[in-house]
Amino acid sequence: MSFWLFKSEPGEFSIDDLARKRSKTEHWDGVRNYQARNFMRDEMRKGDRAFFYHSSCAEPAVVGTVRISREAYPDHTAFDPDDSHFDPKSNPKQPTWFMVDVKLQERFDRPVTLAELKRYADRELAGFRLLARGNRLSVMPVTESHWNFILSLR
DNA sequence: GCCAACGTTGGC
DNA sequence: GCCAACGTTGGC
């Protein structure tokens, strides 16, 4: 089993939005970065666990965990001209973009903020990609030790 | 293949 | 709103 982190702007899709979905499950659409796509398409497996991270907001933070409930399949929003993630160059017969389904596992009682994570950047969280300078990946792997340490902060 | 221009991300 | 970082685009 592998561990991951998904970023989402809470104004777009928050962990509370996920909690309101039927079966607390939703597809993770809109990823339009090749490295992030490759992680989802090639490496994510059903049952893998991931952090739900709120970005571009007042308090950036890890706010909970999800499980991968369906492995990668084509992201239909890439073919929809009315969707904000529409990609005119993508082709349904040879999809470029993929998504997975995620199911809410735990909504933390207390968010683990980016500010808090940074305090451990040179120790327990050394090498954590979220803290790397200039990091912009919206989907990234998390090591098991980083996973366990962040869970210990909640 | 190079690289400048441009758009996006995301913290602050 | 600002700005640094980075990915993508497109001319050459």
Side-chain angles (χ1 to χ4, degrees):
Chain A
M1 181 175 65
S2 302
F3 301 95
W4 307 95
L5 179 145
F6 288 103
K7 288 182 187 171
S8 184
E9 300 185 18
E12 288 287 318
F13 185 70
S14 71
I15 195 165
D16 291 325
D17 293 327
L18 179 59
R20 282 191 287 269
K21 292 290 175 182
R22 185 197 306 263
S23 302
K24 300 187 178 183
T25 299
E26 181 62 301
H27 45 264
W28 200 270
D29 63 26
V31 172
R32 296 292 181 268
N33 169 280
Y34 286 101
Q35 200 177 356
R37 178 207 64 184
N38 291 348
F39 285 137
M40 287 201 300
R41 187 191 60 182
D42 304 336
E43 298 188 42
M44 264 183 209
R45 293 295 168 253
K46 188 173 178 178
D48 282 358
R49 299 172 69 184
F51 287 126
F52 196 123
Y53 177 83
H54 282 172
S55 67
S56 293
C57 55
E59 187 185 63
V62 177
V63 292
T65 65
V66 300
R67 265 187 200 281
I68 306 305
S69 58
R70 182 178 172 186
E71 293 181 10
Y73 60 107
D75 180 344
H76 58 81
T77 65
F79 313 129
D80 178 359
D82 296 327
D83 192 282
S84 61
H85 300 293
F86 176 57
D87 176 8
K89 288 178 301 186
S90 71
N91 171 3
K93 291 181 178 156
Q94 264 187 311
T96 304
W97 305 114
F98 290 78
M99 58 190 181
V100 297
D101 286 356
V102 301
K103 181 183 174 79
L104 181 64
Q105 180 173 21
E106 177 186 357
R107 184 186 178 287
F108 294 166
D109 294 332
R110 186 186 69 84
V112 178
T113 65
L114 178 62
E116 186 174 3
L117 295 174
K118 282 181 171 176
R119 295 209 290 269
Y120 305 97
D122 295 325
R123 303 187 294 144
E124 288 89 342
L125 294 179
F128 185 34
R129 295 180 78 139
L130 184 71
L131 303 178
R133 202 165 129 273
N135 165 68
R136 287 168 51 191
L137 265 186
S138 63
V139 178
M140 70 187 77
V142 178
T143 67
E144 185 165 11
S145 67
H146 289 164
W147 176 271
N148 288 328
F149 180 72
I150 292 166
L151 282 185
S152 78
L153 298 174
R154 77 196 194 283

